[in-house]
Amino acid sequence: ETGVTQTPRHLVMGMTNKKSLKCEQHLGHNAMYWYKQSAKKPLELMFVYNFKEQTENNSVPSRFSPECPNSSHLFLHLHTLQPEDSALYLCASSQEVLAGRTGELFFGEGSRLTVL
Amino acid sequence: SQQGEEDPQALSIQEGENATMNCSYKTSINNLQWYRQNSGRGLVHLILIRSNEREKHSGRLRVTLDTSKKSSSLLITASRAADTASYFCATDQETSGSRLTFGEGTQLTVNP
């Protein structure tokens, strides 16, 4: 138990569906992240939120839409995805002490997404 | 090529042996971190070493950092079957802002 909970753990969706991934952290951290992990590729950072403000969007297609209503919750809204978007989506949180420096990340167990 | 490249890509050893994994990177860093991932699960932080540190220990783990060579190594001593996992290094680059850049990982298999 890392203190970061992701739901659902598994999701199968068609290309025309709309679904959302949810992440909740119980650690009091001020930064939250979405990463994408595909087979045979390094983890790709998608979005970063610091104190609920989006500080990074790593050229992610608009079919992925993040939402951070408060510092404990992070969502990833999915719409008209492609089969190549099938991957493990990992949420993480951290306590940012110094601007521009990243400390230890605490990851959730991930949401395994399959797009048919 | 990637910032944070691990070497080797795969490593298979017997229980009780030591496992060494290497990581190379390209730009100046604030810190370098090692993570472990069991198959299909989330990543777990193992150890963080700052750019002004050269060596760090945590239990059976020993991490070294050579900023002149832009490389790091992770040594797991007296390995156990439960150490079987993928191991990733991640760099906090000086110019990257709030992000860690991960390598592709080393798949370690420890045979009982």
Side-chain angles (χ1 to χ4, degrees):
Chain A
E1 178 60 52
T2 64
V4 180
T5 304
Q6 288 188 244
T7 54
R9 291 292 311 280
H10 300 272
L11 179 62
V12 179
M13 59 187 289
M15 290 190 285
T16 58
N17 292 158
K18 286 184 182 180
K19 297 285 184 183
S20 296
L21 307 180
K22 179 182 176 182
C23 177
E24 183 175 1
Q25 58 101 355
H26 311 275
L27 302 168
H29 289 165
N30 55 23
M32 296 187 76
Y33 311 77
W34 279 116
Y35 279 88
K36 175 184 178 182
Q37 187 176 36
S38 306
K40 309 292 185 186
K41 294 174 72 174
L43 263 72
E44 300 172 59
L45 178 65
M46 300 175 73
F47 302 103
V48 181
Y49 279 82
N50 267 299
F51 293 101
K52 303 187 302 175
E53 299 298 320
Q54 187 180 125
T55 58
E56 186 136 0
N57 175 339
N58 200 23
S59 302
V60 180
S62 59
R63 57 186 184 270
F64 295 92
S65 173
E67 178 189 0
C68 188
N70 55 62
S71 57
S72 299
H73 292 85
L74 185 64
F75 295 88
L76 188 62
H77 303 299
L78 314 171
H79 178 49
T80 59
L81 296 191
Q82 305 298 312
E84 59 264 29
D85 296 323
S86 298
L88 182 67
Y89 289 84
L90 292 161
C91 173
S93 70
S94 70
Q95 184 63 27
E96 296 307 302
V97 177
L98 288 175
R101 297 203 173 191
T102 306
E104 173 185 354
L105 296 186
F106 291 76
F107 283 85
E109 294 284 21
S111 294
R112 172 69 63 185
L113 173 66
T114 303
V115 182
L116 302 176
Chain B
S1 49
Q2 302 287 339
Q3 173 85 350
E5 295 185 17
E6 290 91 343
D7 167 53
Q9 290 188 338
L11 180 61
S12 182
I13 60 174
Q14 297 299 123
E15 256 190 335
E17 294 180 342
N18 295 342
T20 299
M21 288 159 271
N22 302 297
C23 171
S24 60
Y25 57 91
K26 296 186 183 305
T27 63
S28 296
I29 60 172
N30 296 314
N31 65 65
L32 184 145
Q33 303 178 34
W34 285 92
Y35 288 80
R36 165 199 168 120
Q37 183 181 34
N38 285 44
S39 180
R41 307 288 294 274
L43 278 73
V44 176
H45 182 267
L46 295 177
I47 201 164
L48 180 154
I49 187 165
R50 292 187 168 76
S51 59
N52 61 353
E53 297 175 309
R54 291 296 166 259
E55 187 170 316
K56 228 172 170 180
H57 297 255
S58 177
R60 293 183 295 112
L61 306 181
R62 173 178 169 250
V63 168
T64 62
L65 179 64
D66 187 335
T67 52
S68 66
K69 295 181 179 178
K70 292 186 171 54
S71 67
S72 173
S73 67
L74 170 67
L75 168 67
I76 304 174
T77 60
S79 63
R80 306 166 182 167
D83 294 328
T84 295
S86 293
Y87 292 83
F88 297 88
C89 71
T91 52
D92 177 24
Q93 301 167 50
E94 284 186 347
T95 56
S96 68
S98 299
R99 61 155 63 196
L100 285 183
T101 303
F102 285 80
E104 295 185 23
T106 292
Q107 173 61 51
L108 173 66
T109 302
V110 182
N111 301 298

